Amino acid sequence: MSEPQEIVPVEKSDLVGLVAELFAEGYRLVQIGCSTLADAYELTYSFDREYRFRNLRFSVAPGEEVPSISVIYPGAFLYENEIHDLFGVVITHIAVDYRGTLYRTVLNAPFSIGNVKLPEPPKRKMPAPGDKAATATVPADTPVKQE
């Protein structure tokens, strides 16, 4: 059985207000996740009520501040400290702020843009000469040697 999930793109400036509305509607905080993109971080705040997930998602640039939601959901302080320590995302006004000491890591912010090398997308193989089946899968703008 799968539960319906909704991903809602939001503006960072609307985060605290939207989270307060979810709290008032009886949603529980499930997780706060962070992903490293090529030039930004994507944050996803997941909430649940009656097996229906609502995910608030936005991106921030390195050094950009994100407001804490720990005043609404006190347990969020752990997620927020973790995101700060592992990704280097600046989160302001965390209820319990470890100031970068929640985790002891060899690298400072090991999952930050500066420390993560994102993989290159796989390159397409060129078809062997005379392979008509493979020629059909090559994009039209790719030169193919005809015999």
Side-chain angles (χ1 to χ4, degrees), residues 19-84:
V19 168
E21 288 176 17
L22 291 173
F23 180 81
E25 292 172 14
Y27 280 85
R28 68 183 179 95
L29 175 66
V30 175
Q31 68 90 33
I32 304 172
C34 186
S35 298
T36 305
L37 305 176
D39 57 355
Y41 300 99
E42 182 178 75
L43 280 90
T44 303
Y45 292 67
S46 300
F47 301 88
D48 165 69
R49 185 182 73 182
E50 298 173 3
Y51 301 107
R52 289 194 164 30
F53 281 85
R54 181 169 295 165
N55 302 285
L56 306 180
R57 184 172 287 168
F58 60 94
S59 296
V60 295
E64 192 175 340
E65 294 182 348
V66 175
S68 171
I69 65 163
S70 62
V71 68
I72 302 163
Y73 288 97
F77 85 94
L78 279 171
Y79 295 116
E80 293 170 340
N81 277 285
E82 178 178 68
I83 290 167
H84 173 264

Side-chain angles (χ1 to χ4, degrees), residues 52-121:
R52 289 194 164 30
F53 281 85
R54 181 169 295 165
N55 302 285
L56 306 180
R57 184 172 287 168
F58 60 94
S59 296
V60 295
E64 192 175 340
E65 294 182 348
V66 175
S68 171
I69 65 163
S70 62
V71 68
I72 302 163
Y73 288 97
F77 85 94
L78 279 171
Y79 295 116
E80 293 170 340
N81 277 285
E82 178 178 68
I83 290 167
H84 173 264
D85 287 9
L86 299 179
F87 293 87
V89 174
V90 179
I91 300 180
T92 59
H93 304 102
I94 302 174
V96 180
D97 192 346
Y98 282 87
R99 302 190 190 286
T101 63
L102 180 65
Y103 288 115
R104 292 182 185 186
T105 57
V106 174
L107 291 174
N108 184 28
F111 303 133
S112 66
I113 291 172
N115 289 329
V116 172
K117 180 170 176 11
L118 296 174
E120 294 289 326

